Amino acid sequence: MSADLLARFRDRLRLPLIAAPMFLVSGVELAVAACRNGVIGSFPTVNCRETEQLDAWLGDIERRLQAHADANGKAAAPICPNLIVHRSNARLQQDLAVLLRHKVELVITSVGSPAPVLAPLHDAGALVFADVASIRHAERAVAAGADGLVLLTAGAGGQTGWLNPFVFVRAVRGFFDGPIVLAGGISDGHALRAAQALGCDLAYMGTKFIATRESMADARYKQMLVDSSADDILLTTAFTGLQTNMLRPSIEAAGLDPDDLPARGAIDIGKDIDIGARESRPKRWRDIWSGGHSTSGVTGVLGVDDLVAQTVAEYEAASARVQLA
């Protein structure tokens, strides 16, 4: 396996970057804006209420990106749906069928082994990247036949890993020479360039894309990211049962004490506090919001055009500095 797998769309990228797939945040507008700016656009398929909506989303994205290509004489960056492969995803096979029908170029699998979807996606010509949070999981994904790995490192927003990115990337490079994507702490073009120097081919940027005008996030969520810093990120298992980085101010706004949360996996946190009717109980993701350590880099709510232009300038400055060293 080789990083040359990316050659098929490298000339369509303005940056070696993926706008991370984020639950209830990444939608058509954000994905299209990222792709037409030369950044791989992504979204979890479960952001669509049903499989029929997923089909409509992909059709809309394809039409808009084709119009962009026709107008500019160059194909946009690829769209990259994110499939939850855990058994709890009852729509997995139906959503997979839609991705195959649309002939997507790249798919990211999450929350489990990519093995069940690898053969049909490979047969359709798609690359499959598996996100992993430990060295053991990375080894298993490689053994299953994943084309690339997304390394969830300490500092990534939402459900995350705990390993230091320097250690994680170098350990995986010891047994895998295919594409590696670094997830966690990519707040600007300088960090993106550093990820490449470390041995990564691509990186996720998530938190800063939440605070864009094109994201589906609540306006209060976006402003909270602007007002917060890395010190406001809390790593907890209370809301999902897995290690998850959440915004402390959102926990407080929901009437909970960030320093006195349920021990693990409180699916309906309304059961643990008395805050009235069931429909008013705060819910993870809807009312209690995630963020990564790169929250410190969010200084305003931008359009994707401006965010990418800013990141390009930072990346080029960092690259120039490396060349002078």
Side-chain angles (χ1 to χ4, degrees):
M1 188 177 295
S2 165
D4 287 344
L5 287 172
L6 303 181
R8 66 179 72 177
F9 50 72
R10 188 178 286 113
D11 65 347
R12 293 154 56 191
L13 300 183
R14 194 174 172 195
L15 287 167
L17 189 65
I18 299 173
M22 296 173 285
F23 185 52
L24 301 183
V25 170
S26 307
V28 170
E29 296 301 325
L30 180 53
V32 168
C35 291
R36 62 177 174 75
N37 273 283
V39 170
I40 297 171
S42 69
F43 65 91
T45 64
V46 294
N47 276 2
C48 300
R49 293 186 301 274
E50 55 193 13
T51 298
E52 290 74 16
Q53 185 180 38
L54 173 60
D55 188 38
W57 274 28
L58 284 171
D60 188 16
I61 290 168
E62 289 163 1
R63 286 188 293 273
R64 293 169 65 176
L65 292 183
Q66 185 59 55
H68 172 80
D70 292 343
N72 293 273
K74 181 180 178 181
I79 187 68
C80 176
N82 171 215
L83 269 179
I84 306 301
V85 293
H86 191 266
R87 61 181 177 275
S88 61
N89 182 9
R91 282 173 29 196
L92 175 58
Q93 292 305 317
Q94 294 93 323
D95 286 0
L96 173 61
V98 171
L99 302 190
L100 296 174
R101 188 162 62 251
H102 283 270
K103 295 182 172 58
V104 295
E105 298 174 83
L106 178 62
V107 173
I108 294 167
T109 62
S110 298
V111 199
S113 170
V117 300
L118 279 170
L121 285 169
H122 281 163
D123 288 346
L127 295 178
V128 181
F129 288 10
D131 72 9
V132 294
S134 70
I135 294 170
R136 179 169 59 90
H137 288 155
E139 290 171 338
R140 289 180 174 179
V142 171
D147 300 299
L149 300 174
V150 179
L151 307 188
L152 303 178
T153 71
Q159 293 180 348
T160 186
W162 67 275
L163 286 172
N164 176 288
F166 292 96
V167 172
F168 201 0
V169 173
R170 297 317 304 165
V172 171
R173 270 290 174 239
F175 60 85
F176 181 62
D177 65 356
I180 286 180
V181 185
L182 178 62
I186 304 298
S187 62
D188 58 23
H190 298 277
L192 178 58
R193 186 66 183 85
Q196 281 190 304
L198 188 58
C200 299
D201 302 281
L202 299 162
Y204 267 12
M205 181 179 282
T207 302
K208 290 187 82 169
F209 278 104
I210 300 173
T212 58
R213 291 191 288 272
E214 292 87 350
S215 93
M216 298 192 301
D218 188 294
R220 296 169 299 160
Y221 184 2
K222 298 176 186 182
Q223 189 58 47
M224 186 175 288
L225 288 170
V226 174
D227 296 336
S228 300
S229 75
D231 286 346
D232 294 303
I233 302 303
L234 176 68
L235 183 64
T236 176
T237 61
F239 303 110
T240 70
L242 300 174
Q243 295 280 7
T244 308
N245 276 321
M246 309 297 277
L247 281 163
R248 292 177 66 98
S250 71
I251 298 171
E252 293 167 348
L256 293 168
D257 180 356
D259 297 316
D260 186 25
L261 292 172
R264 187 176 184 88
I267 301 301
D268 181 357
I269 61 172
K271 294 177 180 177
D272 300 285
I273 54 174
D274 182 14
I275 59 170
R278 174 173 291 275
E279 58 268 21
S280 69
R281 290 173 176 165
K283 302 292 184 182
R284 59 185 181 179
W285 314 123
R286 187 195 70 185
D287 305 296
I288 299 174
W289 298 317
S290 68
H293 291 178
S294 56
T295 295
S296 283
V298 180
T299 58
V301 178
L302 304 175
V304 170
D305 291 2
D306 292 333
L307 174 57
V308 173
Q310 174 182 300
T311 308
V312 167
E314 294 160 348
Y315 179 81
E316 290 175 347
S319 297
R321 182 175 182 179
V322 169
Q323 291 170 1
L324 291 173

